Amino acid sequence: MGADGKPRQLHIEKAVEVTKLTPPEYPTKAMGEIEQKDGCSVQLLSKCDYFRVNKVCVWEHCVFEASAKSFNSLLVLDGEGEIDGVKLKKGDSFFIPAGYGEYTFKGKAEMVITDID
């Protein structure tokens, strides 16, 4: 359905034409090693000139920072927890604005956190 509530045309043939059924020709493994912190682990998945993406596994709590330079965008892949009283669960996305400073995720969860490098 489109934004106007009407059915949208499907372009299945066009989608099949641009689909690659072979593995990617570039590395797809994590770029960094798993770093253990108090209550969590962090692993650099990927980075480029514009941003970086870390996988974070929290089993108690973990402190992060949204510096003046960058926001933090969190995507909860599994589990649940909270940030400053805001409850988060699997499938939730949460945005921490640049300049927010330190914040703590409390709970047990696996997340992806994206920020500007």
Side-chain angles (χ1 to χ4, degrees):
M1 300 296 242
D4 59 2
K6 296 180 182 177
R8 293 177 46 180
Q9 183 180 5
L10 295 178
H11 301 282
I12 296 171
E13 295 81 17
K14 289 180 181 180
V16 170
E17 286 177 23
V18 298
T19 301
K20 289 187 177 184
L21 299 176
T22 58
E25 297 171 2
Y26 49 85
T28 58
K29 294 186 179 184
M31 293 178 102
E33 299 297 320
I34 297 172
E35 297 177 30
Q36 298 295 331
K37 297 173 106 179
D38 287 339
C40 69
S41 65
V42 179
Q43 182 179 27
L44 176 65
L45 293 180
S46 187
K47 72 176 185 172
C48 66
D49 292 340
Y50 306 104
F51 61 88
R52 74 178 151 218
V53 180
N54 287 293
K55 179 180 178 185
V56 178
C57 295
V58 181
W59 51 86
E60 288 179 10
H61 68 277
C62 202
V63 178
F64 303 100
E65 181 180 6
S67 69
K69 178 183 169 186
S70 177
F71 62 83
N72 284 195
S73 176
L74 287 73
L75 177 60
V76 182
L77 303 175
D78 199 14
E80 59 186 31
E82 67 176 57
I83 297 173
D84 292 343
V86 177
K87 300 210 181 287
L88 301 168
K89 65 185 179 322
K90 179 179 179 177
D92 286 346
S93 178
F94 195 71
F95 188 84
I96 307 286
Y100 188 85
E102 284 192 353
Y103 62 94
T104 302
F105 182 95
K106 297 177 185 176
K108 186 174 181 180
E110 184 176 313
M111 301 181 288
V112 172
I113 300 179
T114 303
D115 64 359
I116 296 172
D117 192 21

